[in-house]
Short mmCIF file of all heavy atoms in Angstrom, two decimals:
data_model
loop_
_atom_site.label_atom_id
_atom_site.label_comp_id
_atom_site.label_asym_id
_atom_site.label_seq_id
_atom_site.Cartn_x
_atom_site.Cartn_y
_atom_site.Cartn_z
N LEU A 1 -0.93 -24.30 5.37
CA LEU A 1 -0.53 -24.67 4.01
C LEU A 1 0.15 -26.04 3.98
O LEU A 1 -0.09 -26.84 3.08
CB LEU A 1 0.38 -23.61 3.41
CG LEU A 1 -0.29 -22.29 3.06
CD1 LEU A 1 0.74 -21.22 2.73
CD2 LEU A 1 -1.25 -22.47 1.88
N ARG A 2 0.98 -26.30 4.99
CA ARG A 2 1.66 -27.60 5.07
C ARG A 2 0.64 -28.73 5.23
O ARG A 2 0.68 -29.73 4.51
CB ARG A 2 2.65 -27.61 6.25
CG ARG A 2 3.43 -28.92 6.37
CD ARG A 2 4.17 -29.02 7.69
NE ARG A 2 3.35 -28.79 8.85
CZ ARG A 2 2.45 -29.64 9.36
NH1 ARG A 2 2.23 -30.80 8.77
NH2 ARG A 2 1.75 -29.33 10.43
N ARG A 3 -0.31 -28.56 6.15
CA ARG A 3 -1.32 -29.61 6.38
C ARG A 3 -2.18 -29.85 5.14
O ARG A 3 -2.60 -30.97 4.87
CB ARG A 3 -2.23 -29.24 7.56
CG ARG A 3 -1.60 -29.50 8.91
CD ARG A 3 -2.54 -29.24 10.09
NE ARG A 3 -2.91 -27.84 10.21
CZ ARG A 3 -4.05 -27.30 9.77
NH1 ARG A 3 -4.96 -28.04 9.20
NH2 ARG A 3 -4.28 -26.01 9.91
N ALA A 4 -2.43 -28.78 4.37
CA ALA A 4 -3.25 -28.90 3.15
C ALA A 4 -2.44 -29.39 1.95
O ALA A 4 -3.00 -29.62 0.88
CB ALA A 4 -3.89 -27.56 2.83
N GLY A 5 -1.12 -29.53 2.12
CA GLY A 5 -0.27 -29.95 1.01
C GLY A 5 -0.09 -28.85 -0.02
O GLY A 5 0.14 -29.13 -1.20
N LEU A 6 -0.19 -27.60 0.41
CA LEU A 6 -0.12 -26.47 -0.51
C LEU A 6 1.08 -25.55 -0.29
O LEU A 6 1.12 -24.45 -0.82
CB LEU A 6 -1.41 -25.65 -0.43
CG LEU A 6 -2.69 -26.38 -0.84
CD1 LEU A 6 -3.92 -25.52 -0.54
CD2 LEU A 6 -2.63 -26.76 -2.31
N SER A 7 2.04 -25.99 0.49
CA SER A 7 3.20 -25.14 0.79
C SER A 7 3.90 -24.66 -0.47
O SER A 7 4.37 -23.51 -0.52
CB SER A 7 4.19 -25.88 1.69
OG SER A 7 3.60 -26.14 2.93
N ASP A 8 3.98 -25.49 -1.48
CA ASP A 8 4.68 -25.12 -2.71
C ASP A 8 3.77 -24.42 -3.72
O ASP A 8 4.24 -24.00 -4.78
CB ASP A 8 5.30 -26.35 -3.36
CG ASP A 8 6.41 -26.95 -2.51
OD1 ASP A 8 7.03 -26.19 -1.74
OD2 ASP A 8 6.65 -28.17 -2.61
N ALA A 9 2.48 -24.28 -3.41
CA ALA A 9 1.53 -23.70 -4.35
C ALA A 9 1.53 -22.18 -4.31
O ALA A 9 1.06 -21.53 -5.24
CB ALA A 9 0.12 -24.21 -4.06
N ILE A 10 2.06 -21.61 -3.25
CA ILE A 10 2.03 -20.16 -3.06
C ILE A 10 3.46 -19.62 -3.08
O ILE A 10 4.33 -20.12 -2.38
CB ILE A 10 1.36 -19.80 -1.71
CG1 ILE A 10 -0.02 -20.45 -1.58
CG2 ILE A 10 1.30 -18.30 -1.51
CD1 ILE A 10 -1.05 -19.95 -2.54
N ASP A 11 3.68 -18.57 -3.87
CA ASP A 11 5.01 -17.97 -3.98
C ASP A 11 5.40 -17.18 -2.73
O ASP A 11 6.53 -17.27 -2.26
CB ASP A 11 5.08 -17.05 -5.20
CG ASP A 11 4.85 -17.80 -6.49
OD1 ASP A 11 5.67 -18.70 -6.79
OD2 ASP A 11 3.86 -17.51 -7.18
N VAL A 12 4.47 -16.38 -2.24
CA VAL A 12 4.77 -15.49 -1.11
C VAL A 12 3.60 -15.56 -0.12
O VAL A 12 2.46 -15.33 -0.51
CB VAL A 12 4.96 -14.03 -1.58
CG1 VAL A 12 5.27 -13.12 -0.40
CG2 VAL A 12 6.05 -13.93 -2.64
N VAL A 13 3.92 -15.88 1.12
CA VAL A 13 2.90 -15.97 2.19
C VAL A 13 3.20 -14.87 3.19
O VAL A 13 4.26 -14.85 3.83
CB VAL A 13 2.93 -17.35 2.87
CG1 VAL A 13 1.89 -17.43 3.98
CG2 VAL A 13 2.72 -18.46 1.84
N LEU A 14 2.26 -13.93 3.32
CA LEU A 14 2.47 -12.74 4.15
C LEU A 14 1.44 -12.65 5.27
O LEU A 14 0.23 -12.77 5.02
CB LEU A 14 2.38 -11.48 3.29
CG LEU A 14 3.34 -11.42 2.12
CD1 LEU A 14 2.91 -10.34 1.14
CD2 LEU A 14 4.75 -11.16 2.63
N SER A 15 1.93 -12.39 6.46
CA SER A 15 1.06 -12.16 7.61
C SER A 15 1.08 -10.68 7.97
O SER A 15 2.15 -10.05 8.03
CB SER A 15 1.56 -12.97 8.81
OG SER A 15 0.92 -12.53 9.99
N THR A 16 -0.09 -10.13 8.24
CA THR A 16 -0.17 -8.74 8.66
C THR A 16 0.49 -8.53 10.02
O THR A 16 0.71 -7.39 10.43
CB THR A 16 -1.63 -8.25 8.72
OG1 THR A 16 -2.36 -9.05 9.64
CG2 THR A 16 -2.27 -8.31 7.34
N ASP A 17 0.82 -9.62 10.67
CA ASP A 17 1.56 -9.57 11.94
C ASP A 17 2.84 -8.73 11.78
O ASP A 17 3.25 -8.05 12.71
CB ASP A 17 1.94 -11.02 12.31
CG ASP A 17 1.96 -11.28 13.79
OD1 ASP A 17 1.20 -10.63 14.54
OD2 ASP A 17 2.75 -12.14 14.20
N VAL A 18 3.45 -8.77 10.59
CA VAL A 18 4.69 -8.06 10.32
C VAL A 18 4.53 -6.55 10.50
O VAL A 18 5.44 -5.88 10.99
CB VAL A 18 5.19 -8.37 8.88
CG1 VAL A 18 6.37 -7.53 8.49
CG2 VAL A 18 5.52 -9.83 8.74
N VAL A 19 3.36 -6.03 10.11
CA VAL A 19 3.12 -4.59 10.25
C VAL A 19 2.31 -4.27 11.51
O VAL A 19 1.93 -3.13 11.73
CB VAL A 19 2.44 -3.99 8.99
CG1 VAL A 19 3.38 -4.04 7.80
CG2 VAL A 19 1.11 -4.66 8.70
N ARG A 20 2.04 -5.29 12.32
CA ARG A 20 1.32 -5.14 13.58
C ARG A 20 0.00 -4.40 13.38
O ARG A 20 -0.34 -3.46 14.09
CB ARG A 20 2.20 -4.48 14.63
CG ARG A 20 3.46 -5.30 14.91
CD ARG A 20 4.32 -4.77 16.01
NE ARG A 20 3.69 -4.65 17.30
CZ ARG A 20 3.38 -5.65 18.15
NH1 ARG A 20 3.67 -6.88 17.79
NH2 ARG A 20 2.82 -5.42 19.30
N SER A 21 -0.73 -4.87 12.37
CA SER A 21 -2.04 -4.33 12.06
C SER A 21 -2.86 -5.42 11.39
O SER A 21 -2.43 -6.57 11.34
CB SER A 21 -1.91 -3.09 11.17
OG SER A 21 -3.13 -2.40 11.10
N PHE A 22 -4.00 -5.06 10.89
CA PHE A 22 -4.88 -6.02 10.22
C PHE A 22 -5.48 -5.38 8.97
O PHE A 22 -5.62 -4.16 8.88
CB PHE A 22 -6.04 -6.42 11.15
CG PHE A 22 -5.61 -7.18 12.37
CD1 PHE A 22 -5.52 -6.55 13.60
CD2 PHE A 22 -5.30 -8.53 12.29
CE1 PHE A 22 -5.14 -7.26 14.74
CE2 PHE A 22 -4.91 -9.24 13.42
CZ PHE A 22 -4.83 -8.60 14.64
N LYS A 23 -5.85 -6.23 8.01
CA LYS A 23 -6.66 -5.75 6.91
C LYS A 23 -7.97 -5.26 7.51
O LYS A 23 -8.44 -5.87 8.45
CB LYS A 23 -6.93 -6.85 5.89
CG LYS A 23 -5.69 -7.37 5.19
CD LYS A 23 -6.01 -8.45 4.18
CE LYS A 23 -6.50 -9.71 4.86
NZ LYS A 23 -6.87 -10.77 3.93
N PRO A 24 -8.51 -4.16 7.06
CA PRO A 24 -8.26 -3.44 5.83
C PRO A 24 -7.32 -2.24 5.94
O PRO A 24 -7.41 -1.32 5.14
CB PRO A 24 -9.66 -2.98 5.42
CG PRO A 24 -10.34 -2.70 6.71
CD PRO A 24 -9.80 -3.74 7.66
N SER A 25 -6.42 -2.25 6.88
CA SER A 25 -5.43 -1.17 6.95
C SER A 25 -4.61 -1.14 5.65
O SER A 25 -4.17 -2.19 5.18
CB SER A 25 -4.48 -1.39 8.13
OG SER A 25 -3.36 -0.56 8.03
N PRO A 26 -4.39 0.03 5.08
CA PRO A 26 -3.55 0.11 3.89
C PRO A 26 -2.16 -0.51 4.11
O PRO A 26 -1.58 -1.06 3.18
CB PRO A 26 -3.44 1.62 3.62
CG PRO A 26 -4.69 2.19 4.23
CD PRO A 26 -4.96 1.34 5.45
N ARG A 27 -1.66 -0.46 5.34
CA ARG A 27 -0.35 -1.07 5.62
C ARG A 27 -0.38 -2.57 5.36
O ARG A 27 0.62 -3.16 4.94
CB ARG A 27 0.08 -0.80 7.06
CG ARG A 27 0.40 0.65 7.32
CD ARG A 27 0.95 0.88 8.69
NE ARG A 27 0.13 0.26 9.71
CZ ARG A 27 0.53 -0.03 10.93
NH1 ARG A 27 1.76 0.23 11.31
NH2 ARG A 27 -0.27 -0.57 11.81
N ALA A 28 -1.52 -3.21 5.60
CA ALA A 28 -1.64 -4.65 5.35
C ALA A 28 -1.59 -4.95 3.85
O ALA A 28 -0.86 -5.84 3.41
CB ALA A 28 -2.94 -5.17 5.96
N TYR A 29 -2.34 -4.19 3.06
CA TYR A 29 -2.34 -4.42 1.61
C TYR A 29 -1.00 -4.05 0.97
O TYR A 29 -0.60 -4.64 -0.02
CB TYR A 29 -3.49 -3.65 0.95
CG TYR A 29 -4.85 -4.09 1.44
CD1 TYR A 29 -5.67 -3.23 2.15
CD2 TYR A 29 -5.31 -5.38 1.20
CE1 TYR A 29 -6.91 -3.62 2.60
CE2 TYR A 29 -6.55 -5.79 1.66
CZ TYR A 29 -7.35 -4.91 2.36
OH TYR A 29 -8.57 -5.32 2.81
N GLN A 30 -0.32 -3.10 1.56
CA GLN A 30 1.00 -2.68 1.05
C GLN A 30 2.01 -3.83 1.12
O GLN A 30 2.97 -3.86 0.35
CB GLN A 30 1.50 -1.45 1.81
CG GLN A 30 2.78 -0.86 1.27
CD GLN A 30 2.63 -0.26 -0.12
OE1 GLN A 30 1.61 0.33 -0.46
NE2 GLN A 30 3.65 -0.42 -0.94
N LEU A 31 1.80 -4.77 2.04
CA LEU A 31 2.71 -5.91 2.17
C LEU A 31 2.89 -6.63 0.83
O LEU A 31 4.00 -6.97 0.44
CB LEU A 31 2.20 -6.91 3.21
CG LEU A 31 2.36 -6.54 4.65
CD1 LEU A 31 1.55 -7.48 5.55
CD2 LEU A 31 3.83 -6.57 5.04
N GLY A 32 1.78 -6.88 0.13
CA GLY A 32 1.86 -7.57 -1.15
C GLY A 32 2.57 -6.76 -2.21
O GLY A 32 3.36 -7.30 -2.99
N VAL A 33 2.30 -5.47 -2.23
CA VAL A 33 2.96 -4.58 -3.19
C VAL A 33 4.46 -4.63 -2.99
O VAL A 33 5.23 -4.79 -3.94
CB VAL A 33 2.42 -3.13 -3.03
CG1 VAL A 33 3.24 -2.15 -3.86
CG2 VAL A 33 0.94 -3.07 -3.39
N ASP A 34 4.90 -4.52 -1.74
CA ASP A 34 6.33 -4.52 -1.44
C ASP A 34 6.97 -5.87 -1.73
O ASP A 34 8.05 -5.94 -2.32
CB ASP A 34 6.56 -4.14 0.03
CG ASP A 34 6.17 -2.70 0.33
OD1 ASP A 34 6.02 -1.89 -0.60
OD2 ASP A 34 5.98 -2.40 1.53
N ALA A 35 6.31 -6.95 -1.33
CA ALA A 35 6.89 -8.28 -1.52
C ALA A 35 6.98 -8.69 -2.98
O ALA A 35 7.96 -9.30 -3.41
CB ALA A 35 6.08 -9.32 -0.75
N LEU A 36 5.96 -8.35 -3.75
CA LEU A 36 5.93 -8.74 -5.16
C LEU A 36 6.62 -7.72 -6.06
O LEU A 36 6.84 -7.99 -7.24
CB LEU A 36 4.48 -8.95 -5.61
CG LEU A 36 3.73 -10.07 -4.89
CD1 LEU A 36 2.26 -10.05 -5.27
CD2 LEU A 36 4.35 -11.42 -5.17
N GLN A 37 6.90 -6.55 -5.51
CA GLN A 37 7.53 -5.47 -6.27
C GLN A 37 6.72 -5.13 -7.53
O GLN A 37 7.27 -5.02 -8.62
CB GLN A 37 8.99 -5.78 -6.58
CG GLN A 37 9.82 -5.94 -5.33
CD GLN A 37 11.27 -6.21 -5.62
OE1 GLN A 37 11.69 -6.41 -6.74
NE2 GLN A 37 12.06 -6.18 -4.57
N LEU A 38 5.42 -5.00 -7.31
CA LEU A 38 4.50 -4.62 -8.36
C LEU A 38 3.70 -3.40 -7.89
O LEU A 38 3.62 -3.14 -6.69
CB LEU A 38 3.53 -5.76 -8.65
CG LEU A 38 4.12 -7.05 -9.22
CD1 LEU A 38 3.09 -8.17 -9.21
CD2 LEU A 38 4.64 -6.81 -10.64
#
């Protein structure tokens, strides 16, 4: 994002690394739900 000049364009940047899994695991998609509180 920094190299593309888009660091400020995204509100929340989430890596599935946090849940030690990958999409399409439900735990990966849950990251956005939790972070955005939606």
Side-chain angles (χ1 to χ4, degrees):
L1 289 169
R2 182 192 52 74
R3 281 185 295 98
L6 297 173
S7 296
D8 294 333
I10 306 294
D11 297 298
V12 180
V13 180
L14 302 165
S15 167
T16 60
D17 213 30
V18 173
V19 293
R20 300 185 59 74
S21 192
F22 294 102
K23 295 181 292 178
S25 166
R27 291 186 310 160
Y29 298 115
Q30 186 66 37
L31 285 168
V33 171
D34 294 343
L36 298 172
Q37 298 182 352
L38 295 169

